[in-house]
Amino acid sequence: MEKIEFDYSKYDFKNSTSKYKIIFNEGLSENVIKAISKLKAEPEWMRDFRLQAYKFFLKRPVPKWGADLSKIKFEDMVYFARATDNKAKSWDELPEDIRDTYNKLGIPEAEKKSLSGVEVMYESEVVYNSVKKELEALGVIFCDTDTAVREHPELVKKYFGKVISPNDNKFAALNSAVWSGGSFIYVPKGVKVPMPLQAYFRINAANMGQFERTLIIADEGADLTYIEGCTAPVYSKDALHAAVVEVIAHKNAHVKYITVQNWSSDVYNLVTKRAFAYENAFVEWVDANMGSKVTEKYPSVYLMERGAKSNVLSVALANKGQHQDTGTKAVHLAPDTSSVIRSKSICLNGGRTTYRGLVKVKKGATDIKSSTKCDALIFDNKSRTDTYPYMEIDEEESSISHEASVGKINDEQLFYLESRGLSENEAVNMIVLGFIAEFVQELPIEFAVEFNRLIKINMEGSVG
Amino acid sequence: METQWIEEYKAAEEKAQSSLPFEEREIFVKYSDRDDVFLPKYESKVTSIDYENPDEEQVKITRFSEAMEIPAVIKKFKDKDKIQAFINSKLTSGIIITIKDDSEIKEPIKINSRPSENCAYKILVHAGKNSKASLIIDESSEKNIYFGQNTDIVTEENSDITLLSVQNFAGVTAKNYNISSAGNIEIIELLTSEGETRERIWMELLEHSEIKIKQSVIGNKDSYFDIETEINHAAKNTKSNVAYKAALADSSKSIYKGVILQGNTAYNSYAYLSESSLILSKDAKSISVPSLEIGHNELKAYHSASTEPINKNAVFYLMSRGLENNSAKMLITNGFLSQIFSEDTFGYEIINDKIMKKLNSMEF
Amino acid sequence: MEEIKVNDLETEVNGKKVLNGVDLLIQRGKIHVLMGPNGSGKSTLANVIMGNPKYNVTAGRITIDGEDLLKLKVNERAKKGIFLAFQEPVEISGVNVMNFLTTTYTNLNGKNPELRKEVVQTMQELNLPDSFLKRSLNEGFSGGEKKRFELLQVMILKPKIAILDEIDSGMDVDSVKLLGEITKKLSKDTGFLMITHNDHVLDYIKPDAVSIIKNGKIIRSGDYQLIKQIREKGYSEIL
C-alpha cells in the first residue's frame, strides 16, 4: 500500500500543523512545552498559560475517586507529534477487531482507509469549501484552535481557559499545557447557523489529536449545533486522550453539542467538558461513549444567570474490559434555572458502567427545577453498574428529583417479541435500541443509523 | 463494670482506631466532615441504661459487667471506621439481649437512656431462629454531652425483629449499627436532635433475608445530620427497602449517603432506596447521594431522590381555612413525614408524639 | 398449518400444577371458544401453546399438523403461524408501534411496500388515531387501546391460528361488537381460540366448538348449543 502523507492544506488548515516536522521524545518538561509553543509561533500569553498549566499538572494528584487510572504512564507519552504519525501506516497494521467493525458497519472501502488514517479522502474538500463560504457570509468563524490563536487572538484570549481553568483537574491541566488542534467556533449575535457544524468531516474527526482543545462561543441570540466524533472505532496508538471543551452560551443563545465516540479498547479517554450558560441561554450536551479502556467524562453546565437551561442526554456502553465512568454536573448559580439529565447505560461481558452526577443549587438560586433519570441495563453477573448521584441543595425554593433503575432485559418483553416471530437476538436488539431511542432521536439521521448498527454489533453474542 | 475481657477489648479498639479511616467509602469522603466534633478528647462517664424485659423466660438481658467472657455478637463484626472503634474504646457500659429460638415476644423490649455526662455504650442483640420480637430504644439528653453508641445485631433464620429508635440530643451523637441478618428486620428511626448527629448503618443481608428501614430526621436551629446507610445484598433472594426523609428548618443540614451493594452473589434480589428532603427555610441545606453498586443481572434495583420546598399553594389553602402560618406548615411537614410513618407503623403513638412535640417547639 | 392439537397436557408454574390433562383442538377456519372461571388455567394454556418459558410442561403433547410443537422456540412457533393476543401486553419503551409492525411483518411475511397504508386503514377500522404509530409499544396505552392493538396485529400479521386471551375484557360495547365482526370475517382463513370470561362477544359470532375449563381440566365440550345451555341454565350449573 502506498503511503500518503496527510496534507492539511487540502482542508484549508493553512500553516496549522503541516509545518511541524519535529516529533518530541517521550516525556514532558518545561522545555518541551516551550518548544511546542515556539513551533506554533504562539503569542507569549499562550506560552505562559501553558507553562502555568504544567505547574498545576505536576501538583495535581491523579484522581482516585473514579476508574483505575494508576496505570497511566505520563513519562512514556509522546506529547507532540503530527497527526499522521500516530495513525496506522497500512490497513493491515490495524488491530483485527477494528477492521472487523469497519466491515460490519458497512463503511465504504475508501472511507475505511481514511478513518484508519491509512489514506486520505480528497472528495470532501469541495463540500467543505462550499460550507465554509456560507459560514463566512454569516460572520461565523469555524477553524482549528491553533489557527484561531493566530487569526483571532482577541477572541481567543478573552475566553480561552475561562470556563475550565488550567487548575481544574490533572487532565485539564495536562491539556492546557500541551494542547494542539481542536475546533474554534464563534457565532456572532443573532446568527442561527443553518446546518450542524461537524468536526470537519468524518475523516478529520478520526484524525483528531490526542490533546485537542475546543472552544465554542455563541454570542447573544446565536444558535448552533456542533457534532464531533464518529461511530467507527477510532484507532490510536496513543494510550491517553485528554481533551478540553469549553462552551460559552451568551444571553438567549442555544448550543447543542453532540458527541459520538468509540475508542479502541486500549485508550484512556479523560475529557473535561463544560459550558457556561448566561441569561435564558440553553445548552445541550448529547454524548455517547463506547469503546476505550477507561472513559471519564462529565459534560457540565454552569447556569450562570436567570432563565438558563440545560439538557444532558447520554448513553454509555461498556463491553469486555471497558469502564465507562460518565455523568454530568448541573450547577445552578442563578434563579429560575433548570436542568434535565437523562442517562442510559448498558454493560455486558464483564464491562462496567458508572453514572456519577452532581446537581448543585447555590444559595440565592431560587425557583430551580432539576430532574435526573438514570437507567442501567446489566447483561450478566460479570458486569457491573454503579450510580452515584450527588445532590447539594443550599436553597429552599428548588425542586430537585432523581430516579434510577437497574435491571436486566425483561423476560416478558422478550417473550412478547419472540411470540411475534423475532429470534432472541433480534428481540434483545429491539429492546436495547428502544432503551436508547430517546438518545438516538437527537442524532442526525446518518449518525443514528450507524449508531444503531454499532449497538447491534456490540450486542452480538450477548444472549446465551 | 471492669471485667477482664472489657479491658482487653477496649485496649484493642483504642489501637485499632489509628488504622481506620474517618469515612470508609472513598466516594463519600467529600461529604464526611467534623472530625474534631465526632472524635473529641474526653473522658466517658458511667451511665445507666434502663431496660424493661417483658418476658424473662424467653429473653435474657445481661449487663456487660455480669458477662464473664466476650459476647459472641461482638466477635461477629469488624469495625468499619474510626468512630466505631473510638466509641468501643470508651465503653462505660453495655447490655446483651438474647432472644431464644422459636420464641414470640408480644410486648416490646424497652431500653431507656437519659445520660447527663459524656458516655459511650453498646447494645448487642442476638435473635434466635424463628423468633419474633420488638425493641424500643429511647435516648435523649438536654445536656451538651457527647453520646456514643454502637449497636450490633445478629438475627438468625426466619426471625422477625422490629427496632424503633428515637433520639433527641442537645449535644453530639455518634451512633453505629452493625447488622448481620438472615431473617426479617425492620428499623424505624426518628432523629430530632438540635446538636450534631452522625449515624452509620452497615447491613449484611444473608440468604432469604429482608430489611426495611424507615428513617426520618427533623432539623431546626443548627441541627446537623450526617447519615449513611450501606445495604449489602450478600446472598441470593434478599430484599431491601430503605426510605429516608428529612424535614429541614432554620440552618439545619442533612447529609444522606445511601449505598446499595448487589454483588455477583445477589441472585434474585430486590432493592429500593428512596430519599427525600423538605426544605423549610432559606438557610437549610440538603446533600444526598443515594448510590447503587450492582454486579449481577438477575435482580432489580431502584432509587429515587427529591428535594422540595414547602408547597406554597398548600400553605395558602390551609390558611384560607383559618390556620395560622405556623400550624399550616406544621401540618404539611407532618404530612410529609407520615408518608413513611403511617398509623400501622410499629410504635406509631411514640413516633407521632415525638414528632408533634418537636414540631410544636419549632418556628417556621 | 391446519391444526393445533393438545393432548393430555399437564403444566407447572413455580412448582404448582396448573393444567391437569387438557385435550383441545384448534383448527384453521374455525372458532373455538374456551370459557372458565378465574384461575382455571385458560391463560396458562394460551401461554404454553405460545411457549412462554415461565411454564413447565410436565406431561402430554401439543402438535401442529402432527409435528411436536413443544420442541420449537417461541419465534419458530410464530413463524409457523401461531399468534397470541396477550391479556396484559407488556410495555416496551422506545420501540415505536410502526417500527415494531414493520420489523415483525417483514420477518414473518416478507417486505410489503403497502404495509403502512394497510396499517393506517386497519387503525381507522379499529378507531385508533394516526398518532398511535409513533408511540412506544403498549406504553401509556389505555386498557382498551392495548386490546385493540393486539387485534390490529392479528389483522396485519395474518396468523394461521390466533389465540385471543380475554381480548374482550376491558373493551367497551362497541369494541366488543367490532371484535366479533372482525373475528367472524377473519375466521374464513384463520383459526381462533377465543378465551373469554363473559359471553357478550358470542352475540356476534357463532363458534364451531366450545370448551369449558375448570381446575386445569376441560370439563365440558360441545358446539354452539353449549353456550345456549349456559345462557339458559346459568354458568354455575354447568360447572
Side-chain angles (χ1 to χ4, degrees), chain B residues 87-208:
Chain B
I87 295 168
N88 285 336
S89 74
K90 301 266 183 199
L91 291 184
T92 51
S93 56
I95 55 170
I96 309 155
I97 302 171
T98 312
I99 302 156
K100 278 190 184 161
D101 290 356
D102 305 306
S103 60
E104 187 177 351
I105 319 300
K106 298 232 162 56
E107 290 299 310
I109 301 161
K110 286 185 183 161
I111 296 158
N112 287 301
S113 173
R114 300 279 178 274
S116 55
E117 287 176 288
N118 293 341
C119 70
Y121 65 79
K122 210 164 164 72
I123 298 175
L124 305 176
V125 181
H126 182 264
K129 281 182 197 159
N130 306 314
S131 64
K132 189 171 169 30
S134 57
L135 292 95
I136 298 174
I137 303 176
D138 185 341
E139 296 160 324
S140 69
S141 174
E142 285 164 16
K143 298 265 167 49
N144 187 19
I145 60 161
Y146 184 94
F147 175 78
Q149 202 247 72
N150 286 340
T151 298
D152 295 348
I153 303 175
V154 174
T155 71
E156 305 291 347
E157 278 162 48
N158 212 21
S159 57
D160 190 344
I161 300 298
T162 306
L163 186 150
L164 166 66
S165 162
V166 288
Q167 231 172 270
N168 186 16
F169 287 92
V172 178
T173 314
K175 189 167 182 172
N176 300 289
Y177 289 94
N178 271 328
I179 306 170
S180 173
S181 173
N184 276 336
I185 183 161
E186 179 168 11
I187 296 179
I188 303 154
E189 276 204 309
L190 176 67
L191 313 178
T192 52
S193 297
E194 278 177 15
E196 289 158 301
T197 303
R198 172 175 155 136
E199 179 169 306
R200 297 290 181 268
I201 299 178
W202 286 285
M203 174 81 209
E204 181 191 41
L205 287 169
L206 306 176
E207 209 173 318
H208 290 289

Side-chain angles (χ1 to χ4, degrees), chain B residues 267-289:
Chain B
Y267 178 81
N268 197 26
S269 62
Y270 173 94
Y272 188 86
L273 172 65
S274 79
E275 179 275 341
S276 60
S277 302
L278 178 69
I279 313 276
L280 296 160
S281 107
K282 278 204 107 42
D283 298 317
K285 190 169 174 163
S286 157
I287 290 176
S288 58
V289 194

Side-chain angles (χ1 to χ4, degrees), chain C:
Chain C
M1 180 188 42
E2 292 304 319
E3 61 173 41
I4 298 177
K5 207 168 181 177
V6 179
N7 278 112
D8 211 14
L9 188 73
E10 293 184 19
T11 306
E12 261 183 20
V13 58
N14 297 330
K16 216 182 114 201
K17 208 161 192 183
V18 186
L19 296 183
N20 226 330
V22 169
D23 294 296
L24 198 83
L25 180 66
I26 315 165
Q27 287 175 302
R28 201 159 163 201
K30 295 199 168 147
I31 299 175
H32 191 144
V33 165
L34 180 66
M35 301 178 81
N38 273 337
S40 57
K42 302 187 298 284
S43 279
T44 301
L45 181 61
N47 274 279
V48 171
I49 295 173
M50 198 69 244
N52 191 335
K54 248 170 55 187
Y55 299 85
N56 225 340
V57 173
T58 48
R61 280 161 60 78
I62 307 178
T63 55
I64 47 167
D65 299 348
E67 189 194 342
D68 185 5
L69 178 73
L70 294 173
K71 69 177 196 326
L72 297 181
K73 288 187 192 156
V74 180
N75 60 317
E76 290 165 349
R77 299 182 196 201
K79 283 189 173 163
K80 292 277 183 191
I82 305 177
F83 181 94
L84 172 62
F86 286 75
Q87 198 182 120
E88 282 164 22
V90 65
E91 302 181 353
I92 307 180
S93 51
V95 174
N96 81 44
V97 166
M98 190 60 217
N99 185 6
F100 165 76
L101 288 173
T102 311
T103 310
T104 49
Y105 183 93
T106 312
N107 183 45
L108 290 172
N109 307 321
K111 279 206 157 101
N112 177 2
E114 299 293 304
L115 183 67
R116 194 185 177 91
K117 225 168 80 188
E118 281 177 32
V119 170
V120 171
Q121 271 171 9
T122 314
M123 282 190 351
Q124 277 166 1
E125 207 177 322
L126 291 171
N127 294 320
L128 290 166
D130 278 5
S131 60
F132 210 74
L133 289 177
K134 287 187 185 151
R135 290 170 67 181
S136 280
L137 196 59
N138 294 321
E139 202 173 66
F141 290 15
S142 71
E145 280 174 339
K146 280 186 180 167
K147 296 301 168 81
R148 277 179 283 157
F149 181 57
E150 294 293 293
L151 185 58
L152 177 116
Q153 291 175 56
V154 181
M155 296 162 81
I156 295 295
L157 300 177
K158 302 184 181 70
K160 298 194 173 75
I161 286 180
I163 304 162
L164 311 181
D165 189 3
E166 297 203 16
I167 198 167
D168 51 339
S169 70
M171 274 187 172
D172 57 31
V173 184
D174 290 341
S175 297
V176 171
K177 186 178 174 208
L178 194 62
L179 168 69
E181 287 165 3
I182 288 168
T183 315
K184 202 167 154 189
K185 201 166 82 188
L186 292 176
S187 70
K188 289 192 185 75
D189 198 40
T190 309
F192 282 97
L193 178 67
M194 183 175 275
I195 297 172
T196 180
H197 204 56
N198 56 54
D199 59 5
H200 289 308
V201 68
L202 304 177
D203 292 342
Y204 309 102
I205 52 171
K206 196 178 162 203
D208 302 281
V210 175
S211 297
I212 314 282
I213 186 169
K214 195 190 169 190
N215 294 336
K217 231 175 150 53
I218 305 289
I219 50 157
R220 291 287 300 268
S221 31
D223 57 11
Y224 191 61
Q225 297 304 321
L226 189 54
I227 289 173
K228 272 192 179 163
Q229 274 183 39
I230 293 173
R231 286 192 166 166
E232 281 160 19
K233 296 183 181 171
Y235 208 39
S236 51
E237 196 154 319
I238 297 282
L239 295 177

